[in-house]
Amino acid sequence: MLTPQPSLPESVELEDRPCPLGCAPSDVAVLSGCDRIHGLPGRFNVVCCGQCGLTRTNPRPTASTIGAYYPADYAPYLAVDTRPGRPKDKFRHRLRSRLTRFWGRDTRRLPAILPGHMLEVGCASGNYLREMKPKGWTVEGIEFSDHAAAQARETGLHVQTSSIEGASEPQMRPDLIAAWMVLEHLHEPIAALRKLRGWIKDDGYLVGAVPDFDAFDRRIFGTYWYALHLPAHLYHYNQETLKAVLAQGGWELIKTRWQTNELNLLRTVEYKLIDAHSKRRLAMLRWFNSSRVMRKARRWLGWLLGVTHQSGRMEFWARPLPNDGKTS
């Protein structure tokens, strides 16, 4: 693993922003951390609004310079090779399956609506869109990374390269908008949610996932928490602050479910053991995380974390509030 450096990349500029819910300044320092996923330089503060409890990274990289922390090998950008006639690489297939699960794209529990038109925001290289097409959905996407969006377009998908705030209207009004692990990345989440509210059909749904800042492993391990993902994660939600931000953006939170996922906890402990130079324990953890013998134990751990709401990954369903956010 790379060792983060204290200084920022030359291209990155920081900005100080208030709570997006309009609260009076009352921030409380929570922790500071660095980019542990890619080892890119910089150290960043996480603060909690003393009024509403919404936690955010502040100061943060500006929207025009944060791309430095989204390199081409960023896991969600990895594309599945869909060229016909090409032999499947079993190792790559298993790896991408684990990454898909790890990054929160759980397709098993969508709202009970018939297939229609789906828009995915933050669609990366289009893996989820390709999953949904054979199930009867017409699909399109929006992706900030030009590299990932180009990969999606190469497979025949209609994908805009844009932020949500700068995106054009979708080809059709969507019945479903998917936002898997997206809201925590947005510089202006309320403005983005209002724009999505203006696009959706009145009986449509927004479905997505975010890390849960109230998870016990975050409370125990603090800056080592894997889902902290600084500085790419600009907002750090719990159930209550997610509900508040959705409501301000024109959406009613109707259901929350914690994913059955053990990987967040295991990677968090791994970060801690790396910094503690505990080679023996680190080797044991990595064996547990990769051994076929322990596969069932990992699944039971994931199930336990999910049912106790401690997996650190919340799926949510929301529907548009009436007469709200109708303009984009």
Side-chain angles (χ1 to χ4, degrees):
M1 177 171 295
L2 300 175
T3 302
Q5 302 300 315
S7 59
L8 290 171
E10 291 184 4
S11 62
V12 174
E13 299 176 358
L14 297 182
E15 61 182 4
D16 193 310
R17 295 301 301 271
C19 175
L21 293 175
C23 302
S26 57
D27 291 343
V28 178
V30 178
L31 55 82
S32 67
C34 54
D35 176 14
R36 294 181 178 275
I37 292 181
H38 303 109
L40 296 171
R43 193 159 189 89
F44 304 91
N45 298 322
V46 174
V47 300
C48 177
C49 175
Q51 292 192 23
C52 70
L54 178 61
T55 307
R56 67 190 192 279
T57 302
N58 194 58
R60 66 193 190 185
T62 62
S64 60
T65 65
I66 198 169
Y69 291 97
Y70 290 87
D73 62 351
Y74 182 55
Y77 293 169
L78 299 178
V80 174
D81 194 338
T82 58
R83 286 175 288 178
R86 185 175 179 84
K88 291 184 178 180
D89 183 326
K90 293 182 179 180
F91 172 78
R92 287 168 64 88
H93 177 73
R94 287 197 302 269
L95 172 62
R96 297 195 193 287
S97 295
R98 288 178 67 82
L99 288 172
T100 295
R101 181 178 173 221
F102 191 82
W103 287 93
R105 297 167 189 265
D106 189 339
T107 64
R108 295 172 294 174
R109 294 176 174 85
L110 289 176
I113 57 176
L114 295 174
H117 188 66
M118 187 189 78
L119 170 69
E120 184 183 9
V121 295
C123 67
S125 52
N127 295 343
Y128 183 61
L129 296 177
R130 285 190 291 271
E131 281 186 44
M132 299 305 288
K133 284 184 71 175
K135 299 177 182 180
W137 292 85
T138 58
V139 300
E140 61 180 302
I142 298 172
E143 171 52 46
F144 179 76
S145 164
D146 185 60
H147 173 73
Q151 289 183 316
R153 287 191 290 269
E154 287 176 1
T155 65
L157 296 171
H158 177 78
V159 173
Q160 294 186 54
T161 301
S162 176
S163 64
I164 299 174
E165 297 87 338
S168 302
E169 291 189 10
Q171 293 178 315
M172 299 170 57
R173 290 189 71 188
D175 300 276
L176 177 69
I177 296 177
W180 300 112
M181 293 296 178
V182 169
L183 298 188
E184 65 273 21
H185 293 266
L186 301 179
H187 278 75
E188 304 296 340
I190 292 173
L193 285 166
R194 285 193 170 275
K195 189 163 192 175
L196 298 178
R197 170 61 184 92
W199 289 343
I200 195 80
K201 292 181 180 179
D202 288 337
D203 59 350
Y205 287 89
L206 171 68
V207 60
V210 295
D212 177 14
F213 198 69
D214 278 352
F216 85 99
D217 51 340
R218 197 280 306 170
R219 296 177 181 275
I220 293 173
F221 294 100
T223 189
Y224 295 103
W225 190 47
Y226 180 81
L228 194 61
H229 194 1
L230 297 174
H233 287 184
L234 304 177
Y235 291 93
H236 311 275
Y237 301 98
N238 59 26
Q239 189 175 28
E240 291 304 313
T241 56
L242 174 64
K243 181 179 180 180
V245 169
L246 286 169
Q248 192 80 358
W251 298 87
E252 178 189 9
L253 179 65
I254 59 173
K255 185 177 180 182
T256 309
R257 185 185 77 89
W258 278 258
Q259 292 180 354
T260 56
N261 191 305
E262 77 287 354
L263 295 176
N264 195 71
L265 171 62
L266 295 176
R267 289 303 301 272
T268 298
V269 176
E270 182 177 352
Y271 283 163
K272 176 65 174 178
L273 293 178
I274 288 172
D275 269 16
H277 305 287
S278 182
K279 295 182 179 180
R280 180 175 297 181
R281 292 180 180 179
L282 182 60
M284 292 175 62
L285 176 67
R286 287 176 171 170
W287 171 80
F288 177 82
N289 197 24
S290 60
S291 170
R292 291 188 177 185
V293 175
M294 302 306 296
R295 182 181 301 171
K296 185 172 291 187
R298 291 194 300 270
R299 289 179 177 175
W300 275 108
L301 175 60
W303 175 84
L304 179 62
L305 293 171
V307 298
T308 57
H309 298 179
Q310 297 301 325
S311 66
R313 295 180 176 274
M314 296 185 293
E315 288 183 8
F316 66 88
W317 292 259
R319 59 188 174 194
L321 289 168
N323 302 317
D324 197 309
K326 296 301 290 184
T327 60
S328 60

